[in-house]
């Protein structure tokens, strides 16, 4: 059962890595930001699976931290983007 | 009883991985940024939700299960807000160009 969890975590990381192709080819910055957002959520899912599989104590808190920080990255991107009204 | 729980969590986690794959394929294949954003936030929220549901029976104490649900709620709220923000940024850029 635990190796099934680890296989699922690996599968999620693999698919998110494929999703990062959008960061390379994304015509617009917004697409790149979406790929990073998917990486954040995928990372959280993989961490949770690893936490359940390996029963290590602190891994869920790492997933909590990653979930928090991945949203800050997108907010920073949106706030830093050129706004019609401010400039 | 524990075998049934294992089967249940395997099915839920499998569905979660499937939605992650669907979200990633949508992100790579869809033509337009907005449709990518729509598909992406749907799929990865649902993927993470199903993974959390699959992990709930394996959580040791009810408190750990509650922590998983709270984490999923945080990702739901932050991902929805971020999707609105990115959509707004997208509309502003379209208005400019």
């Amino acid at each position: 059962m635990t190796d099934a969890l680890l296989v699922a975590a690996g599968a999620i990381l693999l698919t998110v890595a494929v999703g990062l192709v959008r960061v390379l080819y994304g015509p617009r910055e917004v697409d790149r930001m979406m790929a990073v957002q998917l990486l954040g959520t995928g990372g959280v899912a993989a961490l949770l699976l690893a936490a359940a599989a390996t029963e290590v104590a602190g891994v869920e808190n790492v997933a909590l931290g990653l979930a928090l920080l991945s949203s800050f990255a997108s907010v920073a991107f949106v706030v830093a983007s050129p706004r019609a009204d401010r400039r | 009883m524990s075998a049934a729980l294992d089967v249940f969590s395997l099915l839920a986690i499998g569905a979660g991985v499937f939605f992650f794959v669907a979200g990633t394929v949508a992100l790579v294949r869809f033509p337009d940024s907005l449709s990518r954003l729509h598909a992406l936030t749907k799929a990865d929220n649902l993927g993470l939700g199903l993974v959390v549901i699959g992990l709930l029976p394996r959580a040791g104490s009810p408190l750990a299960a509650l922590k998983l649900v709270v984490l999923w709620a945080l990702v739901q709220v932050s991902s929805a807000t971020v999707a609105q923000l990115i959509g707004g940024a997208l509309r502003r850029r379209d208005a400019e160009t």
Side-chain angles (χ1 to χ4, degrees):
Chain A
M1 181 59 191
T2 56
D3 43 13
L5 291 178
L6 289 177
V7 163
I12 287 182
L13 285 183
L14 201 64
T15 50
V16 165
V18 168
L20 286 185
V21 163
R22 180 52 59 197
V23 176
L24 291 177
Y25 297 116
R28 307 170 65 161
E29 298 84 5
V30 187
D31 304 317
R32 294 189 171 91
M33 204 58 234
M34 285 186 228
V36 173
Q37 174 77 12
L38 181 66
L39 172 64
T41 312
V44 168
L47 272 171
L48 284 182
L49 286 166
T54 56
E55 306 292 343
V56 173
V59 182
E60 274 139 8
N61 304 334
V62 175
L64 204 59
L66 177 59
L68 199 60
L69 294 182
S70 74
S71 50
F72 281 151
S74 309
V75 168
F77 163 74
V78 171
V79 168
S81 72
R83 296 177 64 110
D85 44 17
R86 224 186 292 156
R87 290 244 166 80
Chain B
M1 180 53 196
S2 86
L5 279 184
D6 277 354
V7 166
F8 165 74
S9 59
L10 271 184
L11 282 180
I13 290 174
V17 171
F18 164 73
F19 274 105
F20 263 108
V21 170
T24 308
V25 165
L27 185 70
V28 175
R29 295 301 301 173
F30 272 8
D32 168 61
S33 287
L34 270 182
S35 55
R36 275 187 215 128
L37 178 65
H38 165 72
L40 165 75
T41 43
K42 291 296 165 302
D44 73 22
N45 281 347
L46 212 51
L48 186 64
L50 283 169
V51 164
V52 164
I53 289 171
L55 288 179
L56 279 185
R58 284 186 61 84
S61 64
L63 201 60
L66 183 65
K67 181 194 264 195
L68 286 180
V69 171
V70 161
L71 192 131
W72 177 52
L74 168 69
V75 172
Q76 286 289 70
V77 168
S78 68
S79 179
T81 317
V82 160
Q84 295 295 334
L85 286 175
I86 289 185
L90 202 58
R91 193 167 46 84
R92 262 195 308 279
R93 281 159 194 252
D94 287 350
E96 268 170 18
T97 52

